[in-house]
Amino acid sequence: KKCNNTCIQNECDAKDSYYKTGLEIYQQTKKDYPNSRIWLTGHSLGGSIASLIALNHSLPAVVFQAPGELLYAKRIGLLSYNSESELNNYLEGLQIYHFGHTADPVYTGTCNGKTSTCYHGGFAMETKCHLGNTCTYDTRAKLGWRRSIMNHALLPFINKVINEWPRITEGKENIAKCEVDRECKDCEGW
């Protein structure tokens, strides 16, 4: 069976899709707390869902180690642009920040192919580009970490990277630089 954009849209609209469930949670929260300013957050798949909802409702989001969701946003019609330059300028204006590190194959979009640790875990991804800004800590260079699915867990990222980064960099870098990755290309191996 061939899957095209109609197939993807139908899956997105399915009552049990993660995106639709996330939208329902957001709508209920907005209804229950009508005067509140809502920020979205999440880790991994939850981060991608938070980012998509933030895009769809012009909300701020701070997400951690999410897989790339830009391609999905394009395919379900959340983005409309005439050129890559126009798209990148739009992405720079979003209040969506993706925090991750270079040893996490899910975040960096290198969780693909038969040699990846993800493949041996039973899954693989072909996308890596994110909505908004990416704030990437270079744990491979600064900590000597190897790329592994084991580095996708949230607690080590918080404890070893975010909390220790100023000490690791001797106070020279308190936070990763956040910017739109203008060179990012999804599905390069296709």
Side-chain angles (χ1 to χ4, degrees):
K1 184 175 179 178
K2 184 178 178 184
C3 190
N4 57 26
N5 283 352
T6 303
C7 170
I8 292 168
Q9 183 64 51
N10 289 343
E11 185 61 29
C12 174
D13 292 339
K15 88 175 183 181
D16 61 346
S17 84
Y18 292 119
Y19 178 66
K20 185 154 184 152
T21 301
L23 279 173
E24 290 171 2
I25 293 168
Y26 163 71
Q27 290 162 349
Q28 186 63 48
T29 302
K30 187 175 174 184
K31 181 179 172 186
D32 291 347
Y33 304 96
N35 298 320
S36 295
R37 179 160 161 81
I38 297 173
W39 284 58
L40 300 169
T41 191
H43 171 260
S44 195
L45 175 60
S48 289
I49 300 300
S51 180
L52 290 163
I53 294 169
L55 172 69
N56 199 21
H57 293 280
S58 300
L59 296 168
V62 177
V63 302
F64 300 92
Q65 297 171 282
E69 78 291 25
L70 179 62
L71 183 62
Y72 187 77
K74 290 176 184 178
R75 287 185 172 168
I76 65 171
L78 296 180
L79 291 170
S80 176
Y81 58 94
N82 294 317
S83 68
E84 287 299 314
S85 175
E86 182 182 317
L87 172 63
N88 286 326
N89 290 337
Y90 175 74
L91 294 176
E92 282 180 356
L94 296 176
Q95 294 180 29
I96 300 173
Y97 297 89
H98 288 270
F99 286 86
H101 62 90
T102 56
D104 178 355
V106 173
Y107 173 76
T108 60
T110 56
C111 195
N112 51 40
K114 290 186 177 186
T115 60
S116 78
T117 55
C118 300
Y119 178 84
H120 296 288
F123 64 97
M125 297 171 199
E126 298 295 335
T127 63
K128 64 181 176 180
C129 302
H130 294 93
L131 293 166
N133 297 280
T134 56
C135 312
T136 306
Y137 292 90
D138 192 352
T139 53
R140 294 179 75 199
K142 303 276 187 195
L143 299 176
W145 288 8
R146 295 182 63 203
R147 188 173 289 136
S148 168
I149 193 64
M150 301 303 289
N151 290 323
H152 183 62
L154 182 59
L155 285 179
F157 176 67
I158 291 171
N159 292 334
K160 295 286 186 184
V161 180
I162 293 180
N163 291 339
E164 295 291 323
W165 202 253
R167 183 190 60 73
I168 292 166
T169 62
E170 299 173 349
K172 295 177 184 149
E173 302 171 35
N174 289 329
I175 194 168
K177 184 178 180 184
C178 298
E179 60 191 357
V180 170
D181 183 354
R182 290 178 168 269
E183 304 301 316
C184 190
K185 301 280 185 251
D186 276 318
C187 308
E188 288 180 299
W190 290 9

PDB file of all heavy atoms in Angstrom, residues 117-150:
ATOM      1  N   THR A 117      21.695   2.240  16.375  1.00  0.00           N
ATOM      2  CA  THR A 117      21.209   1.576  17.580  1.00  0.00           C
ATOM      3  C   THR A 117      19.685   1.592  17.624  1.00  0.00           C
ATOM      4  O   THR A 117      19.075   0.723  18.232  1.00  0.00           O
ATOM      5  CB  THR A 117      21.783   2.235  18.849  1.00  0.00           C
ATOM      6  OG1 THR A 117      21.482   3.628  18.835  1.00  0.00           O
ATOM      7  CG2 THR A 117      23.274   2.031  18.943  1.00  0.00           C
ATOM      8  N   CYS A 118      19.074   2.551  16.976  1.00  0.00           N
ATOM      9  CA  CYS A 118      17.613   2.625  16.934  1.00  0.00           C
ATOM     10  C   CYS A 118      17.036   1.459  16.143  1.00  0.00           C
ATOM     11  O   CYS A 118      16.037   0.862  16.541  1.00  0.00           O
ATOM     12  CB  CYS A 118      17.164   3.936  16.305  1.00  0.00           C
ATOM     13  SG  CYS A 118      17.739   5.377  17.207  1.00  0.00           S
ATOM     14  N   TYR A 119      17.667   1.154  15.035  1.00  0.00           N
ATOM     15  CA  TYR A 119      17.196   0.051  14.200  1.00  0.00           C
ATOM     16  C   TYR A 119      17.180  -1.256  15.002  1.00  0.00           C
ATOM     17  O   TYR A 119      16.232  -2.019  14.944  1.00  0.00           O
ATOM     18  CB  TYR A 119      18.102  -0.099  12.977  1.00  0.00           C
ATOM     19  CG  TYR A 119      17.731  -1.244  12.065  1.00  0.00           C
ATOM     20  CD1 TYR A 119      16.752  -1.079  11.090  1.00  0.00           C
ATOM     21  CD2 TYR A 119      18.341  -2.483  12.196  1.00  0.00           C
ATOM     22  CE1 TYR A 119      16.403  -2.129  10.253  1.00  0.00           C
ATOM     23  CE2 TYR A 119      18.000  -3.532  11.361  1.00  0.00           C
ATOM     24  CZ  TYR A 119      17.019  -3.351  10.394  1.00  0.00           C
ATOM     25  OH  TYR A 119      16.671  -4.391   9.580  1.00  0.00           O
ATOM     26  N   HIS A 120      18.209  -1.458  15.776  1.00  0.00           N
ATOM     27  CA  HIS A 120      18.284  -2.677  16.578  1.00  0.00           C
ATOM     28  C   HIS A 120      17.296  -2.651  17.733  1.00  0.00           C
ATOM     29  O   HIS A 120      16.971  -3.697  18.287  1.00  0.00           O
ATOM     30  CB  HIS A 120      19.707  -2.924  17.056  1.00  0.00           C
ATOM     31  CG  HIS A 120      20.640  -3.177  15.919  1.00  0.00           C
ATOM     32  ND1 HIS A 120      20.626  -4.351  15.196  1.00  0.00           N
ATOM     33  CD2 HIS A 120      21.570  -2.395  15.338  1.00  0.00           C
ATOM     34  CE1 HIS A 120      21.521  -4.282  14.231  1.00  0.00           C
ATOM     35  NE2 HIS A 120      22.110  -3.115  14.295  1.00  0.00           N
ATOM     36  N   GLY A 121      16.813  -1.468  18.082  1.00  0.00           N
ATOM     37  CA  GLY A 121      15.776  -1.342  19.109  1.00  0.00           C
ATOM     38  C   GLY A 121      14.378  -1.485  18.530  1.00  0.00           C
ATOM     39  O   GLY A 121      13.386  -1.437  19.250  1.00  0.00           O
ATOM     40  N   GLY A 122      14.276  -1.615  17.214  1.00  0.00           N
ATOM     41  CA  GLY A 122      12.983  -1.856  16.587  1.00  0.00           C
ATOM     42  C   GLY A 122      12.334  -0.651  15.940  1.00  0.00           C
ATOM     43  O   GLY A 122      11.180  -0.710  15.534  1.00  0.00           O
ATOM     44  N   PHE A 123      13.046   0.457  15.822  1.00  0.00           N
ATOM     45  CA  PHE A 123      12.468   1.620  15.150  1.00  0.00           C
ATOM     46  C   PHE A 123      13.562   2.440  14.484  1.00  0.00           C
ATOM     47  O   PHE A 123      14.735   2.302  14.804  1.00  0.00           O
ATOM     48  CB  PHE A 123      11.663   2.483  16.120  1.00  0.00           C
ATOM     49  CG  PHE A 123      12.474   3.096  17.221  1.00  0.00           C
ATOM     50  CD1 PHE A 123      12.939   4.387  17.115  1.00  0.00           C
ATOM     51  CD2 PHE A 123      12.768   2.379  18.372  1.00  0.00           C
ATOM     52  CE1 PHE A 123      13.687   4.962  18.133  1.00  0.00           C
ATOM     53  CE2 PHE A 123      13.521   2.937  19.396  1.00  0.00           C
ATOM     54  CZ  PHE A 123      13.976   4.233  19.268  1.00  0.00           C
ATOM     55  N   ALA A 124      13.150   3.278  13.561  1.00  0.00           N
ATOM     56  CA  ALA A 124      14.077   4.181  12.883  1.00  0.00           C
ATOM     57  C   ALA A 124      13.309   5.389  12.389  1.00  0.00           C
ATOM     58  O   ALA A 124      12.105   5.337  12.195  1.00  0.00           O
ATOM     59  CB  ALA A 124      14.763   3.474  11.718  1.00  0.00           C
ATOM     60  N   MET A 125      14.002   6.481  12.225  1.00  0.00           N
ATOM     61  CA  MET A 125      13.383   7.733  11.773  1.00  0.00           C
ATOM     62  C   MET A 125      14.187   8.283  10.603  1.00  0.00           C
ATOM     63  O   MET A 125      15.396   8.130  10.564  1.00  0.00           O
ATOM     64  CB  MET A 125      13.378   8.746  12.905  1.00  0.00           C
ATOM     65  CG  MET A 125      12.570   8.305  14.063  1.00  0.00           C
ATOM     66  SD  MET A 125      12.832   9.410  15.438  1.00  0.00           S
ATOM     67  CE  MET A 125      12.247   8.361  16.733  1.00  0.00           C
ATOM     68  N   GLU A 126      13.512   8.942   9.703  1.00  0.00           N
ATOM     69  CA  GLU A 126      14.191   9.514   8.545  1.00  0.00           C
ATOM     70  C   GLU A 126      14.139  11.039   8.542  1.00  0.00           C
ATOM     71  O   GLU A 126      14.538  11.661   7.583  1.00  0.00           O
ATOM     72  CB  GLU A 126      13.583   8.966   7.253  1.00  0.00           C
ATOM     73  CG  GLU A 126      13.734   7.463   7.107  1.00  0.00           C
ATOM     74  CD  GLU A 126      15.182   7.000   6.971  1.00  0.00           C
ATOM     75  OE1 GLU A 126      16.036   7.788   6.526  1.00  0.00           O
ATOM     76  OE2 GLU A 126      15.449   5.851   7.334  1.00  0.00           O
ATOM     77  N   THR A 127      13.635  11.634   9.609  1.00  0.00           N
ATOM     78  CA  THR A 127      13.560  13.093   9.661  1.00  0.00           C
ATOM     79  C   THR A 127      14.453  13.624  10.766  1.00  0.00           C
ATOM     80  O   THR A 127      14.698  12.942  11.756  1.00  0.00           O
ATOM     81  CB  THR A 127      12.112  13.575   9.897  1.00  0.00           C
ATOM     82  OG1 THR A 127      11.676  13.098  11.164  1.00  0.00           O
ATOM     83  CG2 THR A 127      11.194  13.094   8.798  1.00  0.00           C
ATOM     84  N   LYS A 128      14.924  14.848  10.581  1.00  0.00           N
ATOM     85  CA  LYS A 128      15.771  15.454  11.599  1.00  0.00           C
ATOM     86  C   LYS A 128      15.527  16.941  11.787  1.00  0.00           C
ATOM     87  O   LYS A 128      15.970  17.508  12.765  1.00  0.00           O
ATOM     88  CB  LYS A 128      17.236  15.201  11.291  1.00  0.00           C
ATOM     89  CG  LYS A 128      17.740  15.837  10.010  1.00  0.00           C
ATOM     90  CD  LYS A 128      19.204  15.498   9.816  1.00  0.00           C
ATOM     91  CE  LYS A 128      19.722  16.022   8.517  1.00  0.00           C
ATOM     92  NZ  LYS A 128      21.137  15.694   8.330  1.00  0.00           N
ATOM     93  N   CYS A 129      14.828  17.586  10.871  1.00  0.00           N
ATOM     94  CA  CYS A 129      14.648  19.032  10.944  1.00  0.00           C
ATOM     95  C   CYS A 129      13.538  19.398  11.938  1.00  0.00           C
ATOM     96  O   CYS A 129      12.499  18.752  11.986  1.00  0.00           O
ATOM     97  CB  CYS A 129      14.327  19.594   9.563  1.00  0.00           C
ATOM     98  SG  CYS A 129      15.611  19.231   8.342  1.00  0.00           S
ATOM     99  N   HIS A 130      13.797  20.466  12.698  1.00  0.00           N
ATOM    100  CA  HIS A 130      12.881  20.902  13.746  1.00  0.00           C
ATOM    101  C   HIS A 130      12.197  22.221  13.395  1.00  0.00           C
ATOM    102  O   HIS A 130      12.746  23.034  12.654  1.00  0.00           O
ATOM    103  CB  HIS A 130      13.639  21.099  15.058  1.00  0.00           C
ATOM    104  CG  HIS A 130      14.197  19.837  15.620  1.00  0.00           C
ATOM    105  ND1 HIS A 130      15.477  19.410  15.346  1.00  0.00           N
ATOM    106  CD2 HIS A 130      13.658  18.903  16.425  1.00  0.00           C
ATOM    107  CE1 HIS A 130      15.702  18.273  15.974  1.00  0.00           C
ATOM    108  NE2 HIS A 130      14.608  17.937  16.630  1.00  0.00           N
ATOM    109  N   LEU A 131      11.033  22.419  13.973  1.00  0.00           N
ATOM    110  CA  LEU A 131      10.349  23.711  13.920  1.00  0.00           C
ATOM    111  C   LEU A 131      11.046  24.663  14.884  1.00  0.00           C
ATOM    112  O   LEU A 131      11.453  24.249  15.967  1.00  0.00           O
ATOM    113  CB  LEU A 131       8.889  23.566  14.359  1.00  0.00           C
ATOM    114  CG  LEU A 131       7.975  22.763  13.449  1.00  0.00           C
ATOM    115  CD1 LEU A 131       6.675  22.431  14.177  1.00  0.00           C
ATOM    116  CD2 LEU A 131       7.686  23.555  12.184  1.00  0.00           C
ATOM    117  N   GLY A 132      11.173  25.914  14.526  1.00  0.00           N
ATOM    118  CA  GLY A 132      11.757  26.891  15.439  1.00  0.00           C
ATOM    119  C   GLY A 132      13.256  26.743  15.572  1.00  0.00           C
ATOM    120  O   GLY A 132      13.963  26.378  14.636  1.00  0.00           O
ATOM    121  N   ASN A 133      13.735  26.994  16.777  1.00  0.00           N
ATOM    122  CA  ASN A 133      15.166  27.043  17.049  1.00  0.00           C
ATOM    123  C   ASN A 133      15.673  25.756  17.679  1.00  0.00           C
ATOM    124  O   ASN A 133      15.003  25.171  18.524  1.00  0.00           O
ATOM    125  CB  ASN A 133      15.460  28.199  18.010  1.00  0.00           C
ATOM    126  CG  ASN A 133      15.094  29.529  17.396  1.00  0.00           C
ATOM    127  OD1 ASN A 133      15.848  30.063  16.599  1.00  0.00           O
ATOM    128  ND2 ASN A 133      13.940  30.055  17.740  1.00  0.00           N
ATOM    129  N   THR A 134      16.874  25.346  17.277  1.00  0.00           N
ATOM    130  CA  THR A 134      17.524  24.221  17.927  1.00  0.00           C
ATOM    131  C   THR A 134      18.639  24.759  18.815  1.00  0.00           C
ATOM    132  O   THR A 134      19.379  25.662  18.427  1.00  0.00           O
ATOM    133  CB  THR A 134      18.107  23.221  16.909  1.00  0.00           C
ATOM    134  OG1 THR A 134      19.008  23.905  16.035  1.00  0.00           O
ATOM    135  CG2 THR A 134      17.000  22.565  16.098  1.00  0.00           C
ATOM    136  N   CYS A 135      18.726  24.209  19.997  1.00  0.00           N
ATOM    137  CA  CYS A 135      19.720  24.605  20.989  1.00  0.00           C
ATOM    138  C   CYS A 135      20.504  23.336  21.314  1.00  0.00           C
ATOM    139  O   CYS A 135      20.087  22.543  22.164  1.00  0.00           O
ATOM    140  CB  CYS A 135      19.040  25.153  22.234  1.00  0.00           C
ATOM    141  SG  CYS A 135      17.741  26.375  21.880  1.00  0.00           S
ATOM    142  N   THR A 136      21.609  23.141  20.615  1.00  0.00           N
ATOM    143  CA  THR A 136      22.303  21.862  20.641  1.00  0.00           C
ATOM    144  C   THR A 136      23.615  21.945  21.416  1.00  0.00           C
ATOM    145  O   THR A 136      24.488  22.751  21.095  1.00  0.00           O
ATOM    146  CB  THR A 136      22.590  21.383  19.203  1.00  0.00           C
ATOM    147  OG1 THR A 136      21.356  21.369  18.473  1.00  0.00           O
ATOM    148  CG2 THR A 136      23.202  20.000  19.192  1.00  0.00           C
ATOM    149  N   TYR A 137      23.728  21.082  22.422  1.00  0.00           N
ATOM    150  CA  TYR A 137      24.957  20.948  23.195  1.00  0.00           C
ATOM    151  C   TYR A 137      25.841  19.911  22.501  1.00  0.00           C
ATOM    152  O   TYR A 137      25.376  18.826  22.162  1.00  0.00           O
ATOM    153  CB  TYR A 137      24.637  20.470  24.611  1.00  0.00           C
ATOM    154  CG  TYR A 137      23.899  21.483  25.441  1.00  0.00           C
ATOM    155  CD1 TYR A 137      22.507  21.524  25.443  1.00  0.00           C
ATOM    156  CD2 TYR A 137      24.587  22.393  26.231  1.00  0.00           C
ATOM    157  CE1 TYR A 137      21.823  22.452  26.212  1.00  0.00           C
ATOM    158  CE2 TYR A 137      23.908  23.326  27.004  1.00  0.00           C
ATOM    159  CZ  TYR A 137      22.532  23.345  26.994  1.00  0.00           C
ATOM    160  OH  TYR A 137      21.853  24.270  27.757  1.00  0.00           O
ATOM    161  N   ASP A 138      27.112  20.242  22.314  1.00  0.00           N
ATOM    162  CA  ASP A 138      28.027  19.336  21.625  1.00  0.00           C
ATOM    163  C   ASP A 138      28.656  18.368  22.628  1.00  0.00           C
ATOM    164  O   ASP A 138      29.822  18.501  23.015  1.00  0.00           O
ATOM    165  CB  ASP A 138      29.091  20.105  20.862  1.00  0.00           C
ATOM    166  CG  ASP A 138      29.866  19.220  19.903  1.00  0.00           C
ATOM    167  OD1 ASP A 138      29.682  17.983  19.942  1.00  0.00           O
ATOM    168  OD2 ASP A 138      30.663  19.763  19.123  1.00  0.00           O
ATOM    169  N   THR A 139      27.896  17.375  23.037  1.00  0.00           N
ATOM    170  CA  THR A 139      28.368  16.401  24.019  1.00  0.00           C
ATOM    171  C   THR A 139      29.394  15.440  23.433  1.00  0.00           C
ATOM    172  O   THR A 139      30.187  14.866  24.179  1.00  0.00           O
ATOM    173  CB  THR A 139      27.188  15.586  24.587  1.00  0.00           C
ATOM    174  OG1 THR A 139      26.446  15.018  23.504  1.00  0.00           O
ATOM    175  CG2 THR A 139      26.271  16.466  25.411  1.00  0.00           C
ATOM    176  N   ARG A 140      29.394  15.295  22.144  1.00  0.00           N
ATOM    177  CA  ARG A 140      30.400  14.410  21.526  1.00  0.00           C
ATOM    178  C   ARG A 140      31.788  15.050  21.651  1.00  0.00           C
ATOM    179  O   ARG A 140      32.758  14.374  21.992  1.00  0.00           O
ATOM    180  CB  ARG A 140      30.035  14.127  20.078  1.00  0.00           C
ATOM    181  CG  ARG A 140      28.730  13.304  20.003  1.00  0.00           C
ATOM    182  CD  ARG A 140      28.312  13.013  18.606  1.00  0.00           C
ATOM    183  NE  ARG A 140      29.184  11.957  18.085  1.00  0.00           N
ATOM    184  CZ  ARG A 140      29.326  11.713  16.800  1.00  0.00           C
ATOM    185  NH1 ARG A 140      28.682  12.415  15.897  1.00  0.00           N
ATOM    186  NH2 ARG A 140      30.120  10.738  16.398  1.00  0.00           N
ATOM    187  N   ALA A 141      31.874  16.348  21.411  1.00  0.00           N
ATOM    188  CA  ALA A 141      33.169  17.026  21.494  1.00  0.00           C
ATOM    189  C   ALA A 141      33.562  17.340  22.936  1.00  0.00           C
ATOM    190  O   ALA A 141      34.701  17.118  23.336  1.00  0.00           O
ATOM    191  CB  ALA A 141      33.140  18.316  20.675  1.00  0.00           C
ATOM    192  N   LYS A 142      32.635  17.835  23.728  1.00  0.00           N
ATOM    193  CA  LYS A 142      32.959  18.306  25.083  1.00  0.00           C
ATOM    194  C   LYS A 142      33.026  17.181  26.112  1.00  0.00           C
ATOM    195  O   LYS A 142      33.765  17.285  27.080  1.00  0.00           O
ATOM    196  CB  LYS A 142      31.940  19.335  25.551  1.00  0.00           C
ATOM    197  CG  LYS A 142      31.799  20.540  24.661  1.00  0.00           C
ATOM    198  CD  LYS A 142      32.828  21.570  24.959  1.00  0.00           C
ATOM    199  CE  LYS A 142      32.511  22.817  24.142  1.00  0.00           C
ATOM    200  NZ  LYS A 142      33.584  23.731  24.082  1.00  0.00           N
ATOM    201  N   LEU A 143      32.215  16.133  25.936  1.00  0.00           N
ATOM    202  CA  LEU A 143      32.172  15.052  26.926  1.00  0.00           C
ATOM    203  C   LEU A 143      32.686  13.716  26.393  1.00  0.00           C
ATOM    204  O   LEU A 143      32.795  12.755  27.148  1.00  0.00           O
ATOM    205  CB  LEU A 143      30.732  14.851  27.425  1.00  0.00           C
ATOM    206  CG  LEU A 143      30.074  16.037  28.111  1.00  0.00           C
ATOM    207  CD1 LEU A 143      28.625  15.716  28.455  1.00  0.00           C
ATOM    208  CD2 LEU A 143      30.843  16.421  29.358  1.00  0.00           C
ATOM    209  N   GLY A 144      32.936  13.646  25.095  1.00  0.00           N
ATOM    210  CA  GLY A 144      33.392  12.407  24.503  1.00  0.00           C
ATOM    211  C   GLY A 144      32.312  11.338  24.389  1.00  0.00           C
ATOM    212  O   GLY A 144      32.608  10.159  24.251  1.00  0.00           O
ATOM    213  N   TRP A 145      31.048  11.757  24.448  1.00  0.00           N
ATOM    214  CA  TRP A 145      29.953  10.794  24.350  1.00  0.00           C
ATOM    215  C   TRP A 145      29.874  10.258  22.936  1.00  0.00           C
ATOM    216  O   TRP A 145      30.076  10.980  21.959  1.00  0.00           O
ATOM    217  CB  TRP A 145      28.629  11.447  24.711  1.00  0.00           C
ATOM    218  CG  TRP A 145      28.439  11.752  26.161  1.00  0.00           C
ATOM    219  CD1 TRP A 145      29.370  11.655  27.155  1.00  0.00           C
ATOM    220  CD2 TRP A 145      27.254  12.236  26.780  1.00  0.00           C
ATOM    221  NE1 TRP A 145      28.828  12.042  28.350  1.00  0.00           N
ATOM    222  CE2 TRP A 145      27.524  12.403  28.146  1.00  0.00           C
ATOM    223  CE3 TRP A 145      25.987  12.544  26.312  1.00  0.00           C
ATOM    224  CZ2 TRP A 145      26.576  12.860  29.051  1.00  0.00           C
ATOM    225  CZ3 TRP A 145      25.040  13.010  27.211  1.00  0.00           C
ATOM    226  CH2 TRP A 145      25.333  13.156  28.558  1.00  0.00           C
ATOM    227  N   ARG A 146      29.532   8.977  22.809  1.00  0.00           N
ATOM    228  CA  ARG A 146      29.299   8.362  21.513  1.00  0.00           C
ATOM    229  C   ARG A 146      27.813   8.434  21.203  1.00  0.00           C
ATOM    230  O   ARG A 146      26.981   8.395  22.104  1.00  0.00           O
ATOM    231  CB  ARG A 146      29.755   6.905  21.538  1.00  0.00           C
ATOM    232  CG  ARG A 146      31.267   6.797  21.739  1.00  0.00           C
ATOM    233  CD  ARG A 146      31.739   5.392  21.707  1.00  0.00           C
ATOM    234  NE  ARG A 146      31.458   4.841  20.391  1.00  0.00           N
ATOM    235  CZ  ARG A 146      31.333   3.560  20.138  1.00  0.00           C
ATOM    236  NH1 ARG A 146      31.455   2.680  21.102  1.00  0.00           N
ATOM    237  NH2 ARG A 146      31.072   3.132  18.921  1.00  0.00           N
ATOM    238  N   ARG A 147      27.504   8.512  19.918  1.00  0.00           N
ATOM    239  CA  ARG A 147      26.104   8.548  19.511  1.00  0.00           C
ATOM    240  C   ARG A 147      25.463   7.199  19.832  1.00  0.00           C
ATOM    241  O   ARG A 147      25.920   6.163  19.381  1.00  0.00           O
ATOM    242  CB  ARG A 147      25.990   8.854  18.025  1.00  0.00           C
ATOM    243  CG  ARG A 147      24.570   9.099  17.578  1.00  0.00           C
ATOM    244  CD  ARG A 147      24.485   9.562  16.151  1.00  0.00           C
ATOM    245  NE  ARG A 147      24.982  10.926  16.045  1.00  0.00           N
ATOM    246  CZ  ARG A 147      25.794  11.349  15.083  1.00  0.00           C
ATOM    247  NH1 ARG A 147      26.220  10.541  14.148  1.00  0.00           N
ATOM    248  NH2 ARG A 147      26.182  12.598  15.042  1.00  0.00           N
ATOM    249  N   SER A 148      24.391   7.235  20.636  1.00  0.00           N
ATOM    250  CA  SER A 148      23.719   6.011  21.047  1.00  0.00           C
ATOM    251  C   SER A 148      22.302   6.325  21.520  1.00  0.00           C
ATOM    252  O   SER A 148      22.064   7.376  22.124  1.00  0.00           O
ATOM    253  CB  SER A 148      24.488   5.345  22.195  1.00  0.00           C
ATOM    254  OG  SER A 148      23.720   4.319  22.787  1.00  0.00           O
ATOM    255  N   ILE A 149      21.393   5.406  21.281  1.00  0.00           N
ATOM    256  CA  ILE A 149      20.021   5.570  21.762  1.00  0.00           C
ATOM    257  C   ILE A 149      20.000   5.672  23.284  1.00  0.00           C
ATOM    258  O   ILE A 149      19.091   6.265  23.857  1.00  0.00           O
ATOM    259  CB  ILE A 149      19.112   4.423  21.240  1.00  0.00           C
ATOM    260  CG1 ILE A 149      17.636   4.743  21.466  1.00  0.00           C
ATOM    261  CG2 ILE A 149      19.482   3.104  21.882  1.00  0.00           C
ATOM    262  CD1 ILE A 149      17.133   5.935  20.698  1.00  0.00           C
ATOM    263  N   MET A 150      21.015   5.160  23.953  1.00  0.00           N
ATOM    264  CA  MET A 150      21.109   5.261  25.415  1.00  0.00           C
ATOM    265  C   MET A 150      21.238   6.718  25.860  1.00  0.00           C
ATOM    266  O   MET A 150      20.927   7.044  26.998  1.00  0.00           O
ATOM    267  CB  MET A 150      22.301   4.445  25.928  1.00  0.00           C
ATOM    268  CG  MET A 150      22.224   2.961  25.576  1.00  0.00           C
ATOM    269  SD  MET A 150      20.742   2.146  26.171  1.00  0.00           S
ATOM    270  CE  MET A 150      21.089   2.112  27.898  1.00  0.00           C
TER     271      MET A 150
END
